Amino acid sequence: MNSERVERNLDAAFESVGVSRRDFMKFCGAMTALLGLPPVFTARVARALENRMPFVKERRPSVLWLNLQSCTGCTESFTRADHPSVAEAVLNMISLDFNETLQAASGTEAEAACEAAMKENHGKYILVVEGSLPAADSGRYCVMCGKTGETFLKKMAGGAACVIALGTCAVYGGLPAASPNPTDARSIDDAVAPAAVVKIPGCPPIGDVLMATIVHYLFFGRLPSLDSEKRPRFAYGKFIHEQCRRHYHFENAEMSTSFDDEAYRGGYCLFPMGCKGAFTKNACTVIRWNMGSNWCVGAGHPCVGCSEKDFWDKFTPFYALAEGRNPQ
Amino acid sequence: MTRMVIDPVTRIEGHLRIEAEVDNGVLRKAWASGTMFRGIETIVKDRDPRDVWYFVQRICSVCTGVHAIASVRAVENALGITIPENGLLIRNLIEGMQLIHDHVMHFYHLHALDWVDITAALNADVKKASLLQESISDWPKSNPRYFQEVKDKLKAFIGSGQLGIFAHGYWGHSAYKLPPEVNLIAVAHYINALEWQKSVARFIALLGGRHPCPNFLVGGMATAINPDSDQALNASRILMMRETLQEAQDFVEKVYFPDVLAIASFYPEWTKLGEGVGNFLACGDFPAFGKKDELFMPGGVIWKRKIDNVKDFDQKNVSEYVTRSWYTYSDDQAKAKHPFDGETNPKYTGPNPPYDFLDVDGKYSWIKAPRYEDKPVEVGPLARVLIAYGRGHKQIRELVDKGTKQLGVGNAALFSTLGRTLARSVETVAVADKMWEWYDKFVANVSAGNFVTATMEKWEPRTWPAEALGVGLAEAPRGALGHWIKIKNGKVDRYQIVVSTTWNASPPDPKGQIGAYEAALVGTPVADPAKPVEVLRTIHSFDPCIACAVHVYDAVHQKSEAEVIMP
């Protein structure tokens, strides 16, 4: 088959699922940036992806989504993802078979949809978990369908190919686990063991990082490279401070000390105002938020370190210097 | 009598369970229960008051931002801080766009499938759909080819046998009444709205850094304005705000509002079903700079449907019961307590999971029972719109009258399931329009060299009094919201929140007065208890947010003398 014909066939395949060639190349461009590669690699990424087209030729992989002690911020962030957008993802790429926020069916029919998906895709589905798990009082602080969150989680994790712990609550316990942790809230770690876990912390996490992780798994058939905390290296490999656009001000000792002066508006380093970017690994500076339009520091608020373990206690007060720590 | 359980109630925020008795195809009695609890007010105790907005913002990230706004207002109220005009305008712009974003997503992604049968859209005649769309508005995506594309995509999707989020929906249910063409238009707009929402959220990110969970600041906003910098709000970002605001308004005016009216016209019986308790409350929001009492959406209280007799709202008349909720009071269990005087200790006394039914004769929810002057009230878009209407709000009156006229109904039709849905779209149109005024004023300030977004005068805790009380009120998309704070020696001593959904989803009080959800569900037709699409219509018309509704109060033993200041 010559390359032109391959391309035509692919275009037809894309068309059949409602993805235009342009959309696809746009997506490849975003993936290339996300993986930290220069733009010239876009074509190579596209070729690599085209060779593995599960959503064109096979069933869309099943994704189940479980909300525990959550604020639904992770779901919200997922729906803000750009490449692919949530519409592209749920209509063309994955089969989101259980998600309480978006699902049409309620009650017994919702449970039935979840059960059916677990059965049909046993050992193959991706489980996304949002929120922490309360251990106090036998788990009675989080009950769904008359069953504890833990009951649900264990059952759903049991048949999953992999579990994505999404957001700081699922990954580390998060806000409910902040001192004094009234419900003995915990990460989902113990409950989902021994399933393969990817951790995408953040309060909320960046929707595009979740999308990229799912896409990576779908296309390459394996999880992305993870660090010692099981976070995808492509998103959590570097400290925010190292990649901050304000970093050269830091190097020049140009510091902001107020939310109302020329230094602040001049984009000087926010470290003296409590910025925790020097101790926080995340992709905010690279991918940024909301179609790349901005990020916290970009708007003028210090990074509070929302993707780091125990940031609610370790990094508070938010506007104070991190004790005993200095950025490099 | 059939006992029915809906759990999980989906297409909402959080964990909501509805139990009900159904007799001869009609719901006779309902119980609403929140089944998840975190205890955020306990967590913020002893923390820096300037940090609290970040904590309480995570009460709920669907209405992301409103808890943060109520929180910074409470702290500013306690410390006597007046924020600069740009700070106020930016907050209005964020809160306004949040309302627009939230309401549109609610209608298409959380509510529409109660009225729209997506599988029936496959029978649509695309030419008819095109003509219908063109008769509804001048939204450009209206030609037959476009609808054919949507139909083909939908056909391929359904044909794949993998229905994903639409699996096990109530498709083909006798309660669905829309013609195929309206179903197809709604499916197209469901997808359009999903793309639209991620785009217009940029507006908030430009000001607050990101969405969900944009950043706020006690004393104003942490938004750096600098026309000479690429790291601040400059001309290009201000232009992007204009573009996204225009995009937001176009969709609201040309798609959302007309769709609500078009769909509602096929369900006239739902303008007679689903009334709540007939009492309405709003604290009001969207302040004007330097005019303490001027709010774009006014506050007030309406008793027994009397729209033309709006009373003033006073937070002193708010109190809460825990007689049917999983909490205890240390003294009289049957007495209500004002938030500044209240206390709560969580104490679960429900059945041990796994269970089939709750003990609905006893305590059955993590949601408490707030009352105003000891009576249940409904909060939310309908309350706001009725109160604005009653107070003579010109634009709200015009929009409501336009809607009721087009549907051929009177104002009594507003006291219903569809009344709530219509009111939500009405206020979205009004706020989208008002956004330009705030935007233009903001741009004028920046053009004149006014880059100040925050005051740092009382930033340092050493400038604070040893003790201070504050109240912060806001109108969340789902209704009136109040945060009460007591600051002592620079730390949070007490923090309490009364949230929109707590009002609406509350269990009965000791007098047996039920809350708005439970009242609204009585009389709902239920053709098939296993497929309760009719019940969902009314529940979704409230736009439940259960993470918001459930919270714990700390013990507070001091009466408030604090003056409530808006903002």
Side-chain angles (χ1 to χ4, degrees):
Chain A
M1 217 192 281
N2 65 37
S3 64
E4 200 184 314
R5 249 182 75 198
V6 171
E7 201 151 289
R8 264 209 317 274
N9 287 348
L10 276 167
D11 285 351
F14 278 125
E15 291 289 325
S16 73
V17 292
V19 179
S20 73
R21 182 79 190 163
R22 198 170 147 265
D23 289 341
F24 177 68
M25 290 312 290
K26 219 168 85 184
F27 167 68
C28 293
M31 277 294 283
T32 308
L34 197 53
L35 297 170
L37 301 169
V40 291
F41 278 77
T42 303
R44 278 207 213 174
V45 169
R47 272 203 301 282
L49 296 184
E50 282 166 355
N51 289 333
R52 298 173 175 265
M53 254 342 144
F55 67 91
V56 176
K57 56 192 179 194
E58 294 164 19
R59 281 169 60 82
R60 284 174 286 128
S62 176
V63 176
L64 308 182
W65 190 298
L66 181 64
N67 279 72
L68 297 167
Q69 278 180 306
S70 76
C71 69
T72 315
C74 301
T75 301
E76 284 286 324
S77 200
F78 167 68
T79 62
R80 292 310 104 75
D82 190 21
H83 292 297
S85 71
V86 69
E88 286 166 6
V90 302
L91 297 177
N92 300 323
M93 209 176 81
I94 59 170
S95 189
L96 188 58
D97 292 326
F98 185 69
N99 175 297
E100 288 180 53
T101 317
L102 294 170
Q103 187 153 13
S106 276
T108 47
E109 290 296 329
E111 252 192 304
C114 185
E115 292 281 343
M118 280 196 286
K119 205 171 152 196
E120 282 164 27
N121 305 290
H122 187 82
K124 287 188 282 191
Y125 61 83
I126 298 172
L127 174 64
V128 179
V129 185
E130 168 179 2
S132 52
L133 196 60
D137 219 355
S138 316
R140 293 184 295 193
Y141 292 109
C142 183
V143 175
M144 295 109 71
C145 316
K147 300 185 255 297
T148 63
E150 191 179 4
T151 309
F152 260 89
L153 179 58
K154 283 188 166 161
K155 187 173 178 190
M156 291 174 81
C162 72
V163 176
I164 298 177
L166 184 63
T168 302
C169 296
V171 174
Y172 300 121
L175 172 61
S179 174
N181 194 354
T183 59
D184 195 10
R186 299 170 183 194
S187 84
I188 62 165
D189 275 356
D190 292 345
V192 300
V197 178
V198 186
K199 299 182 176 180
I200 304 182
C203 190
I206 304 172
D208 283 303
V209 173
L210 171 66
M211 285 294 190
T213 304
I214 293 175
V215 167
H216 190 289
Y217 186 75
L218 300 188
F219 285 129
F220 302 122
R222 57 183 162 77
L223 296 172
S225 171
L226 306 178
D227 68 9
S228 59
E229 293 196 33
K230 297 187 181 174
R231 300 173 295 190
R233 284 184 203 277
F234 73 79
Y236 298 91
K238 287 189 173 146
F239 289 107
I240 281 179
H241 182 69
E242 292 171 41
Q243 300 182 305
C244 183
R245 290 285 300 274
R246 295 173 185 240
H247 191 260
Y248 71 98
H249 288 298
F250 171 78
E251 287 178 333
N252 294 337
E254 292 168 345
M255 300 293 183
S256 300
T257 53
S258 163
F259 288 102
D260 179 27
D261 65 16
E262 290 312 307
Y264 171 66
R265 289 187 274 275
Y268 284 13
C269 177
L270 296 172
F271 178 73
M273 294 158 81
C275 186
K276 308 298 190 296
F279 323 111
T280 304
K281 288 181 172 175
N282 207 337
C284 303
T285 55
V286 183
I287 306 171
R288 308 206 286 184
W289 290 75
N290 305 99
M291 306 171 78
S293 62
N294 214 350
W295 63 296
C296 297
V297 173
H301 194 279
C303 168
V304 305
C306 78
S307 55
E308 288 296 315
K309 188 178 183 184
D310 298 332
F311 82 96
W312 296 103
D313 295 315
K314 198 170 66 182
F315 288 165
T316 47
F318 290 134
Y319 302 97
L321 287 172
E323 257 176 70
R325 290 157 161 259
N326 276 303
Q328 299 299 307
Chain B
M1 200 75 89
T2 311
R3 186 70 174 272
M4 179 175 101
V5 178
I6 311 176
D7 184 1
V9 174
T10 58
R11 285 182 281 128
I12 64 161
E13 196 296 324
H15 301 288
L16 174 67
R17 175 185 178 94
I18 299 286
E19 293 194 13
E21 280 172 0
V22 177
D23 186 25
N24 279 331
V26 177
L27 190 150
R28 305 292 179 188
K29 195 159 173 46
W31 298 270
S33 172
T35 61
M36 189 276 277
F37 170 85
R38 287 175 294 172
I40 292 169
E41 289 82 349
T42 309
I43 292 168
V44 300
K45 186 168 158 54
D46 294 328
R47 293 183 187 265
D48 188 324
R50 295 167 299 180
D51 285 359
V52 173
W53 70 263
Y54 199 98
F55 284 76
V56 297
Q57 186 176 43
R58 273 74 182 163
I59 287 171
C60 167
S61 296
V62 174
C63 43
T64 184
V66 287
H67 283 287
I69 288 179
S71 179
V72 293
R73 282 177 180 168
V75 177
E76 287 156 4
N77 178 223
L79 302 176
I81 296 170
T82 304
I83 66 169
E85 183 174 22
N86 286 341
L88 180 138
L89 289 168
I90 292 172
R91 284 187 194 169
N92 279 358
L93 287 166
I94 289 182
E95 202 182 348
M97 185 57 91
Q98 177 59 36
L99 181 143
I100 295 166
H101 185 277
D102 206 323
H103 283 358
V104 171
M105 274 199 93
H106 171 264
F107 181 67
Y108 288 101
H109 307 127
L110 307 185
H111 195 25
L113 300 180
D114 302 333
W115 314 100
V116 174
D117 183 340
I118 59 162
T119 60
L122 292 180
N123 303 322
D125 178 325
V126 295
K127 282 185 185 148
K128 272 195 205 166
S130 168
L131 287 172
L132 183 61
Q133 175 65 64
E134 282 171 0
S135 74
I136 290 172
S137 78
D138 57 353
W139 180 242
K141 289 183 173 176
S142 66
N143 69 35
R145 212 178 57 122
Y146 172 70
F147 285 114
Q148 188 63 50
E149 271 174 34
V150 175
K151 194 174 153 181
D152 290 346
K153 264 189 207 175
L154 182 65
K155 197 174 170 191
F157 181 82
I158 292 173
S160 76
Q162 288 186 280
L163 263 63
I165 49 175
F166 308 113
H168 288 252
Y170 310 120
W171 320 125
H173 194 288
S174 60
Y176 286 115
K177 300 274 166 64
L178 297 180
E181 289 73 26
V182 181
N183 282 314
L184 181 62
I185 290 171
V187 168
H189 295 169
Y190 180 103
I191 299 167
N192 295 156
L194 216 41
E195 295 290 347
W196 168 91
Q197 58 85 22
K198 77 163 189 188
S199 178
V200 300
R202 286 180 295 170
F203 182 93
I204 294 174
L206 291 166
L207 297 166
R210 63 179 176 179
H211 187 266
C213 303
N215 294 296
F216 292 86
L217 186 75
V218 167
M221 288 298 293
T223 310
I225 303 171
N226 185 347
D228 297 320
S229 171
D230 65 343
Q231 286 302 295
L233 196 68
N234 53 23
S236 123
R237 292 190 189 180
I238 288 173
L239 183 65
M240 194 193 277
M241 283 170 65
R242 167 173 283 278
E243 288 167 4
T244 45
L245 178 52
Q246 189 63 60
E247 186 183 356
Q249 189 180 30
D250 282 351
F251 199 82
V252 166
E253 291 189 346
K254 296 177 183 178
V255 184
Y256 172 38
F257 188 52
D259 276 2
V260 169
L261 291 174
I263 290 173
S265 69
F266 292 96
Y267 291 99
E269 68 277 21
W270 287 89
T271 60
K272 298 182 192 82
L273 288 164
E275 178 173 6
V277 292
N279 306 326
F280 301 90
L281 180 150
C283 61
D285 208 338
F286 299 113
F289 184 68
K291 295 170 193 160
K292 202 180 115 191
D293 298 320
E294 196 179 309
L295 302 171
F296 177 62
M297 289 303 284
V301 182
I302 289 172
W303 297 114
K304 295 184 177 172
R305 289 186 172 201
K306 287 179 191 143
I307 304 179
D308 49 5
N309 186 16
V310 179
K311 309 285 186 192
D312 287 342
F313 163 75
D314 185 344
Q315 60 90 22
K316 290 193 181 102
N317 299 326
V318 175
S319 65
E320 288 208 309
Y321 289 99
V322 293
T323 37
R324 305 295 290 276
S325 317
W326 291 313
Y327 307 92
T328 56
Y329 280 160
S330 65
D331 44 17
D332 192 344
Q333 303 295 322
K335 240 175 111 182
K337 290 177 186 292
H338 180 270
F340 261 134
D341 204 24
E343 62 175 70
T344 303
N345 307 302
K347 191 175 193 304
Y348 183 81
T349 52
N352 281 329
Y355 56 77
D356 292 325
F357 299 105
L358 291 166
D359 173 19
V360 292
D361 296 326
K363 291 172 181 265
Y364 62 88
S365 182
W366 286 115
I367 299 170
K368 298 168 85 180
R371 296 293 182 262
Y372 189 81
E373 292 180 3
D374 218 30
K375 288 189 271 294
V377 296
E378 174 177 339
V379 300
L382 178 58
R384 284 194 290 262
V385 163
L386 291 174
I387 286 158
Y389 194 100
R391 289 200 185 278
H393 193 295
K394 189 167 168 280
Q395 199 183 2
I396 293 287
R397 285 190 91 106
E398 282 170 9
L399 287 162
V400 168
D401 293 346
K402 184 182 169 186
T404 49
K405 193 179 162 198
Q406 197 171 319
L407 293 175
V409 295
N411 279 349
L414 295 170
F415 304 102
S416 69
T417 298
L418 278 179
R420 264 175 226 111
T421 302
L422 176 65
R424 191 171 287 110
S425 65
V426 160
E427 73 169 359
T428 311
V429 176
V431 168
D433 204 38
K434 185 72 178 177
M435 289 283 282
W436 288 108
E437 202 179 306
W438 298 322
Y439 174 83
D440 289 343
K441 182 72 182 105
F442 176 64
V443 173
N445 287 352
V446 174
S447 304
N450 175 1
F451 305 149
V452 178
T453 57
T455 170
M456 304 306 286
E457 218 173 284
K458 293 183 180 161
W459 178 253
E460 292 300 332
R462 62 182 150 71
T463 64
W464 303 349
E467 287 192 25
L469 289 164
V471 182
L473 303 172
E475 283 291 343
R478 289 154 190 83
L481 170 65
H483 286 220
W484 283 257
I485 191 171
K486 183 182 177 193
I487 300 170
K488 196 172 173 183
N489 299 326
K491 297 262 165 70
V492 176
D493 189 44
R494 313 223 155 96
Y495 204 91
Q496 306 111 45
I497 305 168
V498 178
V499 190
S500 344
T501 299
T502 319
W503 287 102
N504 290 340
S506 70
D509 57 37
K511 288 181 183 165
Q513 300 179 110
I514 58 177
Y517 282 13
E518 295 181 358
L521 288 176
V522 174
T524 305
V526 181
D528 177 358
K531 298 180 193 295
V533 64
E534 306 96 329
V535 177
L536 293 176
R537 283 177 181 169
T538 296
I539 284 295
H540 286 149
S541 74
F542 285 100
D543 192 5
C545 179
I546 304 306
C548 275
V550 175
H551 50 278
V552 61
Y553 294 95
D554 283 338
V556 179
H557 300 292
Q558 190 174 337
K559 284 269 185 202
S560 163
E561 297 304 325
E563 185 194 4
V564 184
I565 293 174
M566 286 294 304

